[in-house]
């Protein structure tokens, strides 16, 4: 909208008026559509929504913020491999501890 207003003086008045009205209509339609879309309730649904949003506008500030929040969320969750390694280390430590006490 800012670019349209900047370029408005170079456009014919009728075209500028039509473009401005069209942008307002598109904005209203987008807000109405957004209100009908339920918020994602699972991590998978959030990831799917983010992929769809990225496909339409990768550099949109809201999409970029969403991608950043999702990346932080995924980084905070342990991976299956990492969790298994951590569990294996704890089991090994417990076994060694018992073996050491048993030999004393």
């Amino acid at each position: 909208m800012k670019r349209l207003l900047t370029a408005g003086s170079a456009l014919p008045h009728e075209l500028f008026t039509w473009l401005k009205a069209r942008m307002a209509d598109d904005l209203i339609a987008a807000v109405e559509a957004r209100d009908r879309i339920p918020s994602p309730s699972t991590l998978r649904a959030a990831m799917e929504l983010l992929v769809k949003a990225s496909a339409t506008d990768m550099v949109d500030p809201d999409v970029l913020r969403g991608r950043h929040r999702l990346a932080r969320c995924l980084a905070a969750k342990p991976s299956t491999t990492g969790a298994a390694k951590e569990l294996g280390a704890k089991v090994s430590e417990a076994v060694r501890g018992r073996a050491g006490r048993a030999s004393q």
Side-chain angles (χ1 to χ4, degrees):
M1 182 69 143
K2 186 186 253 186
R3 287 174 47 187
L4 175 64
L5 293 175
T6 302
S9 60
L11 297 173
H13 178 69
E14 296 82 16
L15 178 60
F16 174 76
T17 303
W18 181 84
L19 285 171
K20 191 173 174 184
R22 177 62 195 231
M23 289 182 81
D25 287 344
D26 288 347
L27 178 60
I28 291 168
V31 169
E32 289 172 346
R34 183 195 66 196
D35 291 342
R36 287 190 305 270
I37 298 173
S39 295
S41 58
T42 65
L43 184 59
R44 180 184 175 105
M47 291 171 66
E48 289 172 355
L49 181 60
L50 190 56
V51 167
K52 288 177 187 174
S54 294
T56 58
D57 196 351
M58 284 196 261
V59 295
D60 180 89
D62 291 331
V63 172
L64 293 173
R65 274 192 293 278
R67 290 173 75 183
H68 179 71
R69 286 197 328 247
L70 182 60
R72 280 196 331 237
C73 179
L74 291 173
K77 295 193 176 291
S79 69
T80 304
T81 305
K85 284 180 183 177
E86 187 177 321
L87 181 61
K90 287 180 181 178
V91 168
S92 294
E93 188 177 308
V95 168
R96 274 184 258 145
R98 283 191 180 188
R101 281 194 302 252
S103 65
Q104 292 175 353

